[in-house]
Short mmCIF file of all heavy atoms in Angstrom, two decimals:
data_model
loop_
_atom_site.label_atom_id
_atom_site.label_comp_id
_atom_site.label_asym_id
_atom_site.label_seq_id
_atom_site.Cartn_x
_atom_site.Cartn_y
_atom_site.Cartn_z
N MET A 1 -29.82 71.20 -70.17
CA MET A 1 -31.16 70.63 -70.28
C MET A 1 -31.15 69.48 -71.28
O MET A 1 -30.39 69.51 -72.23
CB MET A 1 -32.16 71.71 -70.73
CG MET A 1 -32.52 72.67 -69.61
SD MET A 1 -33.82 73.80 -70.09
CE MET A 1 -32.86 74.99 -71.01
N PRO A 2 -31.99 68.52 -71.10
CA PRO A 2 -31.99 67.37 -72.01
C PRO A 2 -32.59 67.71 -73.36
O PRO A 2 -33.35 68.65 -73.51
CB PRO A 2 -32.85 66.34 -71.28
CG PRO A 2 -33.69 67.13 -70.34
CD PRO A 2 -32.89 68.34 -69.97
N ILE A 3 -32.24 66.90 -74.33
CA ILE A 3 -32.76 67.05 -75.69
C ILE A 3 -33.92 66.09 -75.87
O ILE A 3 -33.82 64.92 -75.52
CB ILE A 3 -31.67 66.75 -76.73
CG1 ILE A 3 -30.55 67.76 -76.62
CG2 ILE A 3 -32.26 66.76 -78.13
CD1 ILE A 3 -29.38 67.46 -77.55
N TYR A 4 -35.01 66.60 -76.40
CA TYR A 4 -36.16 65.75 -76.68
C TYR A 4 -36.41 65.73 -78.17
O TYR A 4 -36.19 66.72 -78.86
CB TYR A 4 -37.40 66.27 -75.95
CG TYR A 4 -37.24 66.23 -74.45
CD1 TYR A 4 -36.94 67.38 -73.73
CD2 TYR A 4 -37.35 65.02 -73.77
CE1 TYR A 4 -36.77 67.34 -72.36
CE2 TYR A 4 -37.18 64.98 -72.40
CZ TYR A 4 -36.89 66.13 -71.70
OH TYR A 4 -36.72 66.09 -70.36
N GLU A 5 -36.85 64.60 -78.63
CA GLU A 5 -37.11 64.45 -80.05
C GLU A 5 -38.61 64.39 -80.29
O GLU A 5 -39.32 63.67 -79.60
CB GLU A 5 -36.43 63.18 -80.56
CG GLU A 5 -36.36 63.11 -82.07
CD GLU A 5 -35.44 61.99 -82.53
OE1 GLU A 5 -35.43 60.94 -81.88
OE2 GLU A 5 -34.74 62.18 -83.52
N TYR A 6 -39.05 65.15 -81.27
CA TYR A 6 -40.47 65.23 -81.59
C TYR A 6 -40.69 64.87 -83.05
O TYR A 6 -39.78 64.97 -83.88
CB TYR A 6 -41.01 66.63 -81.32
CG TYR A 6 -41.00 67.01 -79.87
CD1 TYR A 6 -39.85 67.51 -79.27
CD2 TYR A 6 -42.14 66.86 -79.08
CE1 TYR A 6 -39.82 67.84 -77.93
CE2 TYR A 6 -42.12 67.20 -77.74
CZ TYR A 6 -40.96 67.68 -77.17
OH TYR A 6 -40.95 68.01 -75.86
N TYR A 7 -41.91 64.50 -83.33
CA TYR A 7 -42.28 64.13 -84.69
C TYR A 7 -43.50 64.93 -85.10
O TYR A 7 -44.52 64.92 -84.39
CB TYR A 7 -42.57 62.63 -84.74
CG TYR A 7 -43.01 62.15 -86.10
CD1 TYR A 7 -42.07 61.97 -87.12
CD2 TYR A 7 -44.34 61.88 -86.37
CE1 TYR A 7 -42.46 61.54 -88.37
CE2 TYR A 7 -44.74 61.44 -87.61
CZ TYR A 7 -43.80 61.27 -88.60
OH TYR A 7 -44.19 60.83 -89.84
N CYS A 8 -43.39 65.62 -86.20
CA CYS A 8 -44.51 66.40 -86.71
C CYS A 8 -45.36 65.53 -87.61
O CYS A 8 -44.87 64.98 -88.60
CB CYS A 8 -44.01 67.63 -87.47
SG CYS A 8 -45.36 68.55 -88.22
N GLN A 9 -46.63 65.41 -87.26
CA GLN A 9 -47.52 64.54 -88.04
C GLN A 9 -48.10 65.27 -89.25
O GLN A 9 -48.78 64.68 -90.07
CB GLN A 9 -48.64 64.02 -87.12
CG GLN A 9 -48.06 63.19 -85.98
CD GLN A 9 -49.12 62.73 -84.98
OE1 GLN A 9 -49.64 61.64 -85.08
NE2 GLN A 9 -49.43 63.58 -84.02
N ASP A 10 -47.84 66.54 -89.36
CA ASP A 10 -48.32 67.28 -90.53
C ASP A 10 -47.32 67.22 -91.68
O ASP A 10 -47.71 67.06 -92.83
CB ASP A 10 -48.57 68.74 -90.14
CG ASP A 10 -49.91 68.89 -89.44
OD1 ASP A 10 -50.62 67.88 -89.28
OD2 ASP A 10 -50.25 70.02 -89.04
N CYS A 11 -46.06 67.36 -91.38
CA CYS A 11 -45.08 67.34 -92.47
C CYS A 11 -44.11 66.17 -92.35
O CYS A 11 -43.12 66.09 -93.08
CB CYS A 11 -44.32 68.68 -92.54
SG CYS A 11 -43.30 69.04 -91.10
N ASN A 12 -44.40 65.24 -91.42
CA ASN A 12 -43.60 64.02 -91.28
C ASN A 12 -42.12 64.32 -91.08
O ASN A 12 -41.26 63.74 -91.73
CB ASN A 12 -43.80 63.11 -92.48
CG ASN A 12 -45.24 62.66 -92.63
OD1 ASN A 12 -45.90 62.38 -91.64
ND2 ASN A 12 -45.73 62.61 -93.83
N THR A 13 -41.86 65.21 -90.18
CA THR A 13 -40.49 65.61 -89.93
C THR A 13 -40.15 65.39 -88.47
O THR A 13 -40.94 65.72 -87.58
CB THR A 13 -40.29 67.10 -90.28
OG1 THR A 13 -40.59 67.29 -91.66
CG2 THR A 13 -38.86 67.53 -90.02
N LYS A 14 -38.99 64.84 -88.24
CA LYS A 14 -38.50 64.75 -86.88
C LYS A 14 -37.66 65.97 -86.57
O LYS A 14 -36.92 66.47 -87.41
CB LYS A 14 -37.64 63.49 -86.70
CG LYS A 14 -38.47 62.22 -86.63
CD LYS A 14 -37.67 61.10 -85.99
CE LYS A 14 -36.45 60.72 -86.82
NZ LYS A 14 -35.77 59.53 -86.24
N PHE A 15 -37.80 66.46 -85.35
CA PHE A 15 -36.96 67.57 -84.94
C PHE A 15 -36.66 67.43 -83.46
O PHE A 15 -37.30 66.67 -82.74
CB PHE A 15 -37.62 68.91 -85.27
CG PHE A 15 -38.95 69.15 -84.57
CD1 PHE A 15 -39.01 69.88 -83.40
CD2 PHE A 15 -40.11 68.63 -85.10
CE1 PHE A 15 -40.22 70.10 -82.76
CE2 PHE A 15 -41.33 68.84 -84.47
CZ PHE A 15 -41.38 69.58 -83.29
N GLU A 16 -35.68 68.18 -83.02
CA GLU A 16 -35.25 68.08 -81.64
C GLU A 16 -35.39 69.42 -80.94
O GLU A 16 -35.22 70.47 -81.55
CB GLU A 16 -33.79 67.64 -81.57
CG GLU A 16 -33.60 66.23 -82.09
CD GLU A 16 -32.14 65.85 -82.16
OE1 GLU A 16 -31.29 66.75 -82.10
OE2 GLU A 16 -31.86 64.66 -82.28
N LEU A 17 -35.72 69.34 -79.67
CA LEU A 17 -35.81 70.54 -78.87
C LEU A 17 -35.03 70.33 -77.58
O LEU A 17 -35.07 69.26 -76.99
CB LEU A 17 -37.26 70.85 -78.50
CG LEU A 17 -38.17 71.46 -79.56
CD1 LEU A 17 -39.55 71.68 -78.95
CD2 LEU A 17 -37.61 72.77 -80.07
N ILE A 18 -34.35 71.36 -77.17
CA ILE A 18 -33.76 71.36 -75.85
C ILE A 18 -34.69 72.17 -74.97
O ILE A 18 -34.92 73.35 -75.23
CB ILE A 18 -32.35 71.99 -75.87
CG1 ILE A 18 -31.44 71.20 -76.79
CG2 ILE A 18 -31.78 72.04 -74.46
CD1 ILE A 18 -30.08 71.83 -76.97
N ARG A 19 -35.25 71.52 -73.98
CA ARG A 19 -36.23 72.24 -73.16
C ARG A 19 -36.19 71.72 -71.73
O ARG A 19 -35.71 70.64 -71.45
CB ARG A 19 -37.62 72.14 -73.76
CG ARG A 19 -38.11 70.74 -73.89
CD ARG A 19 -39.36 70.58 -74.73
NE ARG A 19 -40.19 71.77 -74.85
CZ ARG A 19 -41.48 71.73 -75.18
NH1 ARG A 19 -42.07 70.58 -75.38
NH2 ARG A 19 -42.18 72.82 -75.29
N ASP A 20 -36.77 72.54 -70.90
CA ASP A 20 -36.83 72.20 -69.49
C ASP A 20 -37.63 70.93 -69.29
O ASP A 20 -38.64 70.70 -69.95
CB ASP A 20 -37.48 73.36 -68.72
CG ASP A 20 -37.29 73.23 -67.22
OD1 ASP A 20 -37.91 72.33 -66.63
OD2 ASP A 20 -36.53 74.02 -66.67
N ILE A 21 -37.19 70.10 -68.38
CA ILE A 21 -37.85 68.81 -68.17
C ILE A 21 -39.29 69.01 -67.70
O ILE A 21 -40.16 68.17 -67.92
CB ILE A 21 -37.04 67.95 -67.19
CG1 ILE A 21 -37.47 66.49 -67.26
CG2 ILE A 21 -37.13 68.49 -65.76
CD1 ILE A 21 -36.52 65.55 -66.58
N ALA A 22 -39.57 70.13 -67.09
CA ALA A 22 -40.93 70.40 -66.62
C ALA A 22 -41.89 70.70 -67.77
O ALA A 22 -43.09 70.65 -67.61
CB ALA A 22 -40.91 71.59 -65.66
N LYS A 23 -41.33 71.00 -68.94
CA LYS A 23 -42.18 71.36 -70.08
C LYS A 23 -42.20 70.28 -71.15
O LYS A 23 -42.64 70.50 -72.26
CB LYS A 23 -41.67 72.67 -70.70
CG LYS A 23 -41.80 73.84 -69.75
CD LYS A 23 -41.32 75.13 -70.40
CE LYS A 23 -41.50 76.30 -69.45
NZ LYS A 23 -40.97 77.54 -70.02
N VAL A 24 -41.72 69.10 -70.80
CA VAL A 24 -41.57 68.06 -71.81
C VAL A 24 -42.90 67.65 -72.41
O VAL A 24 -42.97 67.24 -73.57
CB VAL A 24 -40.83 66.85 -71.21
CG1 VAL A 24 -41.67 66.19 -70.12
CG2 VAL A 24 -40.45 65.86 -72.27
N ASN A 25 -43.97 67.77 -71.68
CA ASN A 25 -45.27 67.35 -72.19
C ASN A 25 -46.06 68.50 -72.79
O ASN A 25 -47.20 68.32 -73.21
CB ASN A 25 -46.07 66.69 -71.08
CG ASN A 25 -45.51 65.31 -70.74
OD1 ASN A 25 -45.13 64.56 -71.62
ND2 ASN A 25 -45.45 64.99 -69.47
N ASP A 26 -45.47 69.67 -72.83
CA ASP A 26 -46.12 70.79 -73.49
C ASP A 26 -46.09 70.56 -75.00
O ASP A 26 -45.20 69.89 -75.51
CB ASP A 26 -45.40 72.10 -73.17
CG ASP A 26 -45.68 72.55 -71.75
OD1 ASP A 26 -46.39 71.83 -71.03
OD2 ASP A 26 -45.18 73.62 -71.39
N PRO A 27 -47.04 71.13 -75.71
CA PRO A 27 -47.00 71.00 -77.17
C PRO A 27 -45.72 71.61 -77.74
O PRO A 27 -45.30 72.68 -77.34
CB PRO A 27 -48.22 71.80 -77.63
CG PRO A 27 -49.12 71.84 -76.45
CD PRO A 27 -48.23 71.85 -75.25
N ALA A 28 -45.13 70.88 -78.66
CA ALA A 28 -43.91 71.36 -79.30
C ALA A 28 -44.24 71.82 -80.71
O ALA A 28 -44.88 71.12 -81.47
CB ALA A 28 -42.87 70.25 -79.35
N LYS A 29 -43.82 73.01 -81.01
CA LYS A 29 -44.13 73.57 -82.33
C LYS A 29 -43.12 73.05 -83.35
O LYS A 29 -41.91 73.12 -83.13
CB LYS A 29 -44.07 75.09 -82.25
CG LYS A 29 -44.68 75.80 -83.44
CD LYS A 29 -44.72 77.30 -83.18
CE LYS A 29 -45.50 78.01 -84.27
NZ LYS A 29 -45.61 79.46 -84.00
N CYS A 30 -43.64 72.56 -84.46
CA CYS A 30 -42.76 72.06 -85.51
C CYS A 30 -41.87 73.18 -86.03
O CYS A 30 -42.32 74.28 -86.31
CB CYS A 30 -43.60 71.50 -86.65
SG CYS A 30 -42.62 70.98 -88.08
N GLN A 31 -40.59 72.86 -86.15
CA GLN A 31 -39.65 73.88 -86.58
C GLN A 31 -39.68 74.08 -88.09
O GLN A 31 -39.11 75.02 -88.61
CB GLN A 31 -38.24 73.48 -86.14
CG GLN A 31 -38.13 73.42 -84.61
CD GLN A 31 -36.76 72.97 -84.15
OE1 GLN A 31 -36.02 72.35 -84.89
NE2 GLN A 31 -36.43 73.29 -82.91
N LYS A 32 -40.36 73.20 -88.80
CA LYS A 32 -40.40 73.30 -90.25
C LYS A 32 -41.68 73.97 -90.73
O LYS A 32 -41.65 74.89 -91.54
CB LYS A 32 -40.27 71.91 -90.86
CG LYS A 32 -40.22 71.90 -92.37
CD LYS A 32 -40.00 70.48 -92.87
CE LYS A 32 -39.98 70.47 -94.41
NZ LYS A 32 -39.85 69.09 -94.91
N CYS A 33 -42.82 73.50 -90.22
CA CYS A 33 -44.09 74.02 -90.73
C CYS A 33 -44.87 74.80 -89.68
O CYS A 33 -45.89 75.39 -89.99
CB CYS A 33 -44.95 72.88 -91.29
SG CYS A 33 -45.65 71.80 -90.03
N GLY A 34 -44.41 74.78 -88.44
CA GLY A 34 -45.07 75.57 -87.41
C GLY A 34 -46.28 74.91 -86.81
O GLY A 34 -46.96 75.51 -85.99
N SER A 35 -46.56 73.68 -87.18
CA SER A 35 -47.72 72.99 -86.66
C SER A 35 -47.51 72.57 -85.21
O SER A 35 -46.39 72.30 -84.78
CB SER A 35 -48.00 71.74 -87.52
OG SER A 35 -48.99 70.96 -86.89
N ASN A 36 -48.61 72.50 -84.49
CA ASN A 36 -48.55 71.94 -83.14
C ASN A 36 -48.99 70.49 -83.12
O ASN A 36 -49.13 69.89 -82.06
CB ASN A 36 -49.43 72.76 -82.20
CG ASN A 36 -48.78 74.06 -81.81
OD1 ASN A 36 -47.59 74.13 -81.58
ND2 ASN A 36 -49.58 75.10 -81.74
N ASN A 37 -49.19 69.91 -84.27
CA ASN A 37 -49.61 68.52 -84.37
C ASN A 37 -48.39 67.61 -84.29
O ASN A 37 -48.01 66.93 -85.24
CB ASN A 37 -50.37 68.31 -85.69
CG ASN A 37 -51.00 66.93 -85.75
OD1 ASN A 37 -51.18 66.26 -84.72
ND2 ASN A 37 -51.34 66.48 -86.94
N THR A 38 -47.78 67.61 -83.13
CA THR A 38 -46.53 66.88 -82.95
C THR A 38 -46.65 65.94 -81.77
O THR A 38 -47.50 66.11 -80.89
CB THR A 38 -45.36 67.85 -82.68
OG1 THR A 38 -45.67 68.66 -81.55
CG2 THR A 38 -45.11 68.75 -83.88
N LYS A 39 -45.79 64.95 -81.78
CA LYS A 39 -45.75 64.05 -80.63
C LYS A 39 -44.29 63.80 -80.26
O LYS A 39 -43.40 63.86 -81.10
CB LYS A 39 -46.47 62.74 -80.92
CG LYS A 39 -45.84 61.94 -82.04
CD LYS A 39 -46.63 60.66 -82.26
CE LYS A 39 -46.02 59.83 -83.38
NZ LYS A 39 -46.79 58.60 -83.63
N ARG A 40 -44.10 63.50 -79.01
CA ARG A 40 -42.74 63.29 -78.54
C ARG A 40 -42.32 61.85 -78.79
O ARG A 40 -43.06 60.92 -78.54
CB ARG A 40 -42.66 63.62 -77.05
CG ARG A 40 -41.25 63.51 -76.50
CD ARG A 40 -41.15 64.19 -75.14
NE ARG A 40 -42.01 63.57 -74.15
CZ ARG A 40 -41.59 62.60 -73.31
NH1 ARG A 40 -40.37 62.15 -73.35
NH2 ARG A 40 -42.42 62.09 -72.44
N LEU A 41 -41.10 61.68 -79.24
CA LEU A 41 -40.55 60.35 -79.42
C LEU A 41 -39.73 59.97 -78.19
O LEU A 41 -39.43 60.81 -77.35
CB LEU A 41 -39.66 60.31 -80.66
CG LEU A 41 -40.34 60.74 -81.97
CD1 LEU A 41 -39.34 60.73 -83.10
CD2 LEU A 41 -41.51 59.84 -82.28
N ILE A 42 -39.38 58.71 -78.12
CA ILE A 42 -38.54 58.27 -77.03
C ILE A 42 -37.20 59.01 -77.11
O ILE A 42 -36.56 59.03 -78.16
CB ILE A 42 -38.31 56.75 -77.09
CG1 ILE A 42 -39.64 56.02 -77.02
CG2 ILE A 42 -37.38 56.30 -75.97
CD1 ILE A 42 -40.41 56.26 -75.75
N SER A 43 -36.81 59.58 -76.02
CA SER A 43 -35.60 60.39 -76.04
C SER A 43 -34.36 59.54 -76.25
O SER A 43 -34.17 58.52 -75.60
CB SER A 43 -35.48 61.15 -74.72
OG SER A 43 -34.25 61.83 -74.68
N LYS A 44 -33.54 60.01 -77.17
CA LYS A 44 -32.27 59.30 -77.37
C LYS A 44 -31.31 59.59 -76.23
O LYS A 44 -30.25 58.98 -76.15
CB LYS A 44 -31.68 59.69 -78.72
CG LYS A 44 -31.30 61.14 -78.82
CD LYS A 44 -30.70 61.43 -80.19
CE LYS A 44 -31.69 61.14 -81.29
NZ LYS A 44 -31.15 61.48 -82.61
N PHE A 45 -31.70 60.50 -75.40
CA PHE A 45 -30.92 60.75 -74.20
C PHE A 45 -30.77 59.47 -73.38
O PHE A 45 -29.76 59.24 -72.75
CB PHE A 45 -31.65 61.81 -73.36
CG PHE A 45 -30.84 62.33 -72.20
CD1 PHE A 45 -29.82 63.24 -72.41
CD2 PHE A 45 -31.10 61.91 -70.92
CE1 PHE A 45 -29.08 63.72 -71.35
CE2 PHE A 45 -30.36 62.38 -69.85
CZ PHE A 45 -29.35 63.29 -70.07
N TYR A 46 -31.77 58.61 -73.46
CA TYR A 46 -31.75 57.38 -72.68
C TYR A 46 -31.37 56.17 -73.52
O TYR A 46 -31.00 55.14 -72.98
CB TYR A 46 -33.12 57.13 -72.06
CG TYR A 46 -33.53 58.22 -71.12
CD1 TYR A 46 -34.50 59.15 -71.47
CD2 TYR A 46 -32.92 58.34 -69.86
CE1 TYR A 46 -34.87 60.17 -70.61
CE2 TYR A 46 -33.28 59.36 -69.01
CZ TYR A 46 -34.25 60.27 -69.38
OH TYR A 46 -34.59 61.27 -68.54
N SER A 47 -31.52 56.26 -74.82
CA SER A 47 -31.37 55.07 -75.64
C SER A 47 -30.11 55.08 -76.50
O SER A 47 -29.77 54.07 -77.09
CB SER A 47 -32.59 54.93 -76.56
OG SER A 47 -32.67 56.03 -77.43
N GLN A 48 -29.45 56.20 -76.56
CA GLN A 48 -28.31 56.29 -77.47
C GLN A 48 -27.11 55.53 -76.94
O GLN A 48 -26.72 55.66 -75.79
CB GLN A 48 -27.94 57.76 -77.67
CG GLN A 48 -26.80 57.91 -78.65
CD GLN A 48 -26.41 59.38 -78.81
OE1 GLN A 48 -26.74 60.19 -77.96
NE2 GLN A 48 -25.71 59.69 -79.85
N GLY A 49 -26.51 54.73 -77.81
CA GLY A 49 -25.27 54.07 -77.46
C GLY A 49 -24.09 54.90 -77.89
O GLY A 49 -24.19 55.75 -78.77
N SER A 50 -22.94 54.66 -77.31
CA SER A 50 -21.78 55.47 -77.61
C SER A 50 -21.27 55.24 -79.03
O SER A 50 -20.52 56.03 -79.57
CB SER A 50 -20.68 55.18 -76.61
OG SER A 50 -20.35 53.82 -76.64
N SER A 51 -21.68 54.14 -79.66
CA SER A 51 -21.23 53.86 -81.01
C SER A 51 -22.06 54.59 -82.05
O SER A 51 -21.80 54.51 -83.23
CB SER A 51 -21.29 52.37 -81.29
OG SER A 51 -22.62 51.91 -81.20
N GLU A 52 -23.09 55.29 -81.61
CA GLU A 52 -24.02 55.93 -82.53
C GLU A 52 -23.76 57.42 -82.65
O GLU A 52 -24.68 58.19 -82.77
CB GLU A 52 -25.45 55.74 -82.01
CG GLU A 52 -26.18 54.61 -82.69
CD GLU A 52 -27.66 54.63 -82.32
OE1 GLU A 52 -27.97 54.74 -81.13
OE2 GLU A 52 -28.47 54.57 -83.21
N ASN A 53 -22.54 57.83 -82.60
CA ASN A 53 -22.30 59.27 -82.53
C ASN A 53 -22.33 59.97 -83.89
O ASN A 53 -22.04 61.14 -83.97
CB ASN A 53 -20.99 59.55 -81.78
CG ASN A 53 -19.82 58.88 -82.46
OD1 ASN A 53 -19.94 58.45 -83.59
ND2 ASN A 53 -18.69 58.82 -81.77
N SER A 54 -22.70 59.27 -84.94
CA SER A 54 -22.80 59.94 -86.23
C SER A 54 -24.25 60.20 -86.61
O SER A 54 -24.55 60.54 -87.74
CB SER A 54 -22.13 59.12 -87.32
OG SER A 54 -22.78 57.87 -87.44
N SER A 55 -25.18 60.02 -85.68
CA SER A 55 -26.58 60.25 -85.97
C SER A 55 -26.87 61.74 -86.01
O SER A 55 -25.97 62.57 -85.93
CB SER A 55 -27.45 59.56 -84.92
OG SER A 55 -27.26 60.15 -83.67
N SER A 56 -28.13 62.09 -86.10
CA SER A 56 -28.51 63.47 -86.34
C SER A 56 -28.40 64.36 -85.12
O SER A 56 -28.58 65.54 -85.21
CB SER A 56 -29.94 63.51 -86.87
OG SER A 56 -30.82 62.97 -85.91
N SER A 57 -28.15 63.77 -83.97
CA SER A 57 -28.10 64.59 -82.79
C SER A 57 -26.74 65.25 -82.63
O SER A 57 -25.74 64.78 -83.14
CB SER A 57 -28.42 63.77 -81.54
OG SER A 57 -27.41 62.81 -81.35
N GLY A 58 -26.75 66.32 -81.89
CA GLY A 58 -25.50 67.01 -81.66
C GLY A 58 -24.96 67.65 -82.92
O GLY A 58 -25.64 67.76 -83.93
N CYS A 59 -23.74 68.04 -82.90
CA CYS A 59 -23.11 68.62 -84.07
C CYS A 59 -21.73 67.99 -84.24
O CYS A 59 -21.30 67.19 -83.42
CB CYS A 59 -23.01 70.13 -83.94
SG CYS A 59 -21.91 70.67 -82.64
N SER A 60 -21.04 68.37 -85.30
CA SER A 60 -19.78 67.71 -85.59
C SER A 60 -18.71 67.99 -84.55
O SER A 60 -17.75 67.24 -84.43
CB SER A 60 -19.28 68.14 -86.96
OG SER A 60 -19.16 69.53 -87.01
N SER A 61 -18.89 69.06 -83.80
CA SER A 61 -17.84 69.41 -82.86
C SER A 61 -18.03 68.78 -81.49
O SER A 61 -17.13 68.81 -80.67
CB SER A 61 -17.73 70.93 -82.73
OG SER A 61 -18.94 71.48 -82.32
N CYS A 62 -19.20 68.21 -81.24
CA CYS A 62 -19.36 67.58 -79.92
C CYS A 62 -19.63 66.08 -80.05
O CYS A 62 -19.23 65.31 -79.22
CB CYS A 62 -20.45 68.26 -79.11
SG CYS A 62 -22.06 68.22 -79.85
N SER A 63 -20.34 65.66 -81.07
CA SER A 63 -20.56 64.28 -81.45
C SER A 63 -20.94 63.36 -80.29
O SER A 63 -20.85 62.16 -80.39
CB SER A 63 -19.31 63.70 -82.14
OG SER A 63 -18.27 63.52 -81.21
N GLY A 64 -21.39 63.91 -79.21
CA GLY A 64 -21.75 63.07 -78.07
C GLY A 64 -23.23 62.98 -77.85
O GLY A 64 -23.68 62.46 -76.85
N GLY A 65 -24.04 63.48 -78.75
CA GLY A 65 -25.48 63.39 -78.60
C GLY A 65 -26.13 64.64 -78.09
O GLY A 65 -27.34 64.80 -78.15
N ASN A 66 -25.35 65.57 -77.62
CA ASN A 66 -25.92 66.86 -77.27
C ASN A 66 -24.85 67.93 -77.41
O ASN A 66 -23.68 67.63 -77.51
CB ASN A 66 -26.50 66.85 -75.86
CG ASN A 66 -25.43 66.75 -74.80
OD1 ASN A 66 -24.69 67.70 -74.56
ND2 ASN A 66 -25.34 65.60 -74.17
N CYS A 67 -25.30 69.16 -77.43
CA CYS A 67 -24.37 70.25 -77.69
C CYS A 67 -24.14 71.07 -76.43
O CYS A 67 -23.75 72.22 -76.50
CB CYS A 67 -24.92 71.14 -78.80
SG CYS A 67 -24.90 70.36 -80.41
N SER A 68 -24.38 70.50 -75.30
CA SER A 68 -24.22 71.28 -74.08
C SER A 68 -22.76 71.67 -73.83
O SER A 68 -22.48 72.60 -73.12
CB SER A 68 -24.77 70.50 -72.88
OG SER A 68 -24.08 69.27 -72.77
N SER A 69 -21.85 70.91 -74.44
CA SER A 69 -20.45 71.18 -74.17
C SER A 69 -19.81 72.08 -75.21
O SER A 69 -18.73 72.63 -74.99
CB SER A 69 -19.67 69.87 -74.07
OG SER A 69 -19.79 69.14 -75.28
N CYS A 70 -20.47 72.25 -76.36
CA CYS A 70 -19.84 73.05 -77.42
C CYS A 70 -20.58 74.34 -77.68
O CYS A 70 -20.13 75.15 -78.46
CB CYS A 70 -19.71 72.23 -78.70
SG CYS A 70 -21.26 71.98 -79.58
N GLY A 71 -21.70 74.57 -77.06
CA GLY A 71 -22.38 75.85 -77.18
C GLY A 71 -23.32 75.99 -78.36
O GLY A 71 -23.88 77.03 -78.58
N HIS A 72 -23.54 74.94 -79.12
CA HIS A 72 -24.49 75.01 -80.22
C HIS A 72 -25.92 74.94 -79.73
O HIS A 72 -26.19 74.27 -78.78
CB HIS A 72 -24.23 73.89 -81.21
CG HIS A 72 -23.20 74.25 -82.24
ND1 HIS A 72 -21.89 73.93 -82.09
CD2 HIS A 72 -23.31 74.92 -83.40
CE1 HIS A 72 -21.22 74.37 -83.14
NE2 HIS A 72 -22.05 74.99 -83.95
ZN1 ZN B 1 -44.24 70.15 -89.41
#
């Protein structure tokens, strides 16, 4: 499933969710403060370049922008 990036307007925190594409417009609960006052950002799934593999997405073992291949 694709990774979506959300922004919490209560605690000013960006977080990512892996969720079904059918639920992308559902409210996303902030993982830090639990608020539903969040909005979806443009997915890096579409905008990420291959040179940007040190950003916050993915983990150190997959470094490709998602963890679908490493099980995280
Ligand atoms: Zn929050």
